[in-house]
Amino acid sequence: MPQDKNRQFLEFEKPIKELFDDIEGLKQKAEKSKIDLSDPIKKLEERVIETRKAITQNLTPWQKVQLSRHPDRPYTLKYIDKLFTDFVELFGDRNVRDDKAMVGGFASLDGKTVMVIGQQKGINTKARQLRNFGMANPEGYRKALRLMKLAEKFNKPVITLIDTPGAYPGLEAEERGQGEAIARNIYEMMRLKVPVICVVIGEGASGGAMGIGVGDRVFMLENTWYTVISPESCSSILWRSWDQKEKAAEQLKLTPDYMHQFGLIDEIIPEPVGGAHWDYTEAANLLKPYLINTINELSRLSPEERVQKRIEKFGKMGFYDEL
């Protein structure tokens, strides 16, 4: 089992780190003493798998939020690299500029051309600044809409990969119409005549997620979240402090099991043991059949049927209790 020396571990992943340290120690010992320690190393590697499984079996909502933000987790461009071939990135909204937080373009999936769009976070400090931490400006959402309309023109399915802490809340974004851009996307995505599949691959926060989150099918990966506000922001509003973020995460019911129970998503897609950050290829391979099968299923419907079913799907969302 190869280990990236730069791999990062969350607090609740520390038992895995300790096992990796033990494995590394045995490897160094074997190299110095020329003793065959392959058996104890193999046993420790098996324990790593078991520990990864045990840790992720009973995660709290806050731990799932942390896992969705894991610095080693695959982002949109990594999924594009692993899922698709012949990706041709398209740029700009034709009004203001190109938003690096939103990426998209034509690609091939199982021999079929699709339009793939998603928010992109950075893999290091410099890239995070370039990508604005995955928080798109209005031009990012207008760019996404331009690409969706282009896909509709050529009758190609649209796949969106959602991973954002929210739409960029800066003054300049509001001046350029952030709210209008997101609302326009929701309105237009509801009426797109081509199949639309949305997948939450990391964070699905508020309008930033909804701006590319209206589709015939909405999926969530196993260790992701989807809600109207981040736990930290919710805590700061209700308790005037971020200290209650764990409680906020619990009360927001933002995990995939609750989202499926509420009828807000269609399916939960499993991740590799321990989370998607342990094996990018396996994470993509687990997602791929859902995309292929769903495209084939939706392609059998007429555009009118798809639009009508999409409207009905989102129209019946939500429920309330009278006390």
Side-chain angles (χ1 to χ4, degrees):
M1 179 187 298
Q3 182 201 5
D4 184 348
K5 291 183 179 179
N6 295 320
R7 185 181 292 281
Q8 300 180 62
F9 295 88
L10 301 174
E11 188 63 36
F12 58 86
E13 291 183 310
K14 287 298 171 64
I16 303 173
K17 183 181 186 304
E18 291 169 3
L19 288 171
F20 268 123
D21 291 341
D22 292 343
I23 291 170
E24 189 61 30
L26 285 177
K27 285 180 178 178
Q28 290 176 3
K29 184 178 179 181
E31 189 177 342
K32 287 179 180 178
S33 61
K34 306 301 180 184
I35 301 173
D36 183 11
L37 297 174
S38 56
D39 284 343
I41 289 172
K42 186 177 180 182
K43 287 179 182 177
L44 282 174
E45 289 175 345
E46 289 171 356
R47 280 185 60 193
V48 167
I49 301 293
E50 293 168 5
T51 307
R52 277 161 51 183
K53 187 175 182 180
I55 285 173
T56 51
Q57 269 182 338
N58 298 299
L59 292 174
T60 66
W62 173 244
Q63 287 174 329
K64 285 210 172 190
V65 171
Q66 290 179 293
L67 210 53
S68 76
R69 297 170 175 170
H70 199 292
D72 294 333
R73 193 173 177 86
Y75 299 138
T76 292
L77 286 176
K78 182 59 70 176
Y79 277 105
I80 290 174
D81 177 57
K82 297 291 184 181
L83 280 169
F84 305 94
T85 56
D86 305 318
F87 176 59
V88 179
E89 188 172 357
L90 302 172
F91 302 90
D93 70 335
R94 298 295 185 269
N95 283 300
V96 179
R97 63 183 174 94
D98 182 56
D99 189 343
K100 301 298 183 184
M102 188 77 72
V103 298
F106 284 115
S108 294
L109 176 67
D110 195 38
K112 296 181 180 178
T113 301
V114 300
M115 177 66 77
V116 57
I117 301 165
Q119 287 113 345
Q120 173 66 18
K121 296 177 178 177
I123 58 174
N124 53 46
T125 303
K126 190 174 181 180
R128 289 184 188 111
Q129 290 176 324
L130 175 70
R131 302 289 181 182
N132 201 29
F133 300 88
M135 297 185 291
N137 279 276
E139 50 269 27
Y141 291 101
R142 292 178 181 129
K143 168 185 174 180
L145 180 57
R146 182 178 75 82
L147 300 189
M148 291 178 207
K149 286 294 187 180
L150 190 62
E152 184 179 49
K153 178 180 179 180
F154 293 106
N155 194 30
K156 303 301 179 186
V158 174
I159 297 171
T160 68
L161 303 177
I162 300 166
D163 186 13
T164 179
Y168 184 58
L171 178 61
E172 61 274 26
E174 297 299 335
E175 287 174 342
R176 293 196 297 274
Q178 184 73 287
E180 187 277 336
I182 293 171
R184 173 64 61 181
N185 277 27
I186 294 171
Y187 173 73
E188 294 290 352
M189 288 186 79
M190 197 71 74
R191 305 191 308 157
L192 283 175
K193 295 177 181 178
V194 293
V196 184
I197 304 169
C198 307
V199 187
V200 181
I201 61 170
E203 299 185 89
S206 194
M210 283 301 298
I212 57 169
V214 177
D216 301 292
R217 298 289 184 274
V218 181
F219 302 138
M220 287 181 74
L221 298 193
E222 187 180 358
N223 297 306
T224 61
W225 60 277
Y226 195 21
T227 189
V228 297
I229 191 171
S230 71
E232 295 94 332
S233 297
C234 177
S235 175
S236 66
I237 291 170
L238 295 181
W239 292 285
R240 299 289 187 266
S241 166
W242 280 21
D243 296 340
Q244 301 296 321
K245 54 186 180 292
E246 292 93 342
K247 185 177 180 181
E250 181 72 39
Q251 294 299 316
L252 283 168
K253 302 189 184 301
L254 41 66
T255 52
D257 50 341
Y258 282 118
M259 292 296 106
H260 191 260
Q261 180 183 327
F262 297 154
L264 301 177
I265 64 167
D266 297 287
E267 287 193 64
I268 301 169
I269 299 173
E271 295 184 17
V273 175
H277 58 288
W278 285 103
D279 192 331
Y280 297 167
T281 301
E282 187 185 351
N285 289 340
L286 288 168
L287 172 58
K288 192 171 187 176
Y290 285 86
L291 298 179
I292 293 170
N293 295 337
T294 304
I295 287 173
N296 292 335
E297 176 193 340
L298 294 172
S299 296
R300 289 193 284 268
L301 300 174
S302 69
E304 292 75 18
E305 285 178 299
R306 279 195 297 266
V307 171
Q308 187 57 40
K309 285 179 178 290
R310 203 180 300 147
I311 292 170
E312 290 172 0
K313 169 187 171 71
F314 282 84
K316 68 182 182 183
M317 285 183 179
F319 58 88
Y320 64 92
D321 291 323
E322 292 187 7
L323 301 178

